[in-house]
Amino acid sequence: QSDAGLTGRKIIVDSYGGWGAHGGGCFSGKDCTKVDRSGAYAARWIAKSLVAAKLCYRVLIQVSYAIGIAEPVSIHIDTYGTGTKPDDELLKIVVRNFDLRPGIIIR
């Protein structure tokens, strides 16, 4: 038995027109207390905020968590060259303005 993650990929194709990266089962469940789900929503919120602020035209936000650690162990931003600032500067803006601890995200 295995899980190919098809539910998540189908939701992404239906929602984002066939383009979107994700890991694990973040789109197959509805439980916001699961960090893969709440983290995916937070990443989407950040991406939409960066685009709305005209800091980039297109962006991928990657957030990684570890069990027992509240802060993300990694945050990665890739604007595919569409950013008005370098990706590392946008990362600093994100870290200063978004609290990505799971308990804060689900409030």
Side-chain angles (χ1 to χ4, degrees), residues 17-99:
W19 190 92
H22 81 98
C26 64
F27 284 95
S28 58
K30 299 288 185 205
D31 187 354
C32 67
T33 64
K34 304 299 183 220
V35 73
D36 53 350
R37 182 78 175 181
S38 56
Y41 279 125
R44 182 172 181 232
W45 172 43
I46 293 167
K48 289 176 70 172
S49 297
L50 293 174
V51 171
K54 301 199 184 309
L55 293 171
C56 58
Y57 175 75
R58 179 179 177 188
V59 63
L60 172 85
I61 307 291
Q62 182 183 52
V63 184
S64 300
Y65 292 92
I67 295 171
I69 301 173
E71 296 286 339
V73 294
S74 173
I75 304 171
H76 175 74
I77 294 179
D78 187 351
T79 62
Y80 305 97
T82 68
T84 59
K85 299 175 184 281
D87 291 354
D88 60 334
E89 283 187 40
L90 293 178
L91 178 59
K92 290 175 186 173
I93 290 169
V94 167
V95 169
R96 277 195 314 264
N97 291 283
F98 295 89
D99 189 342

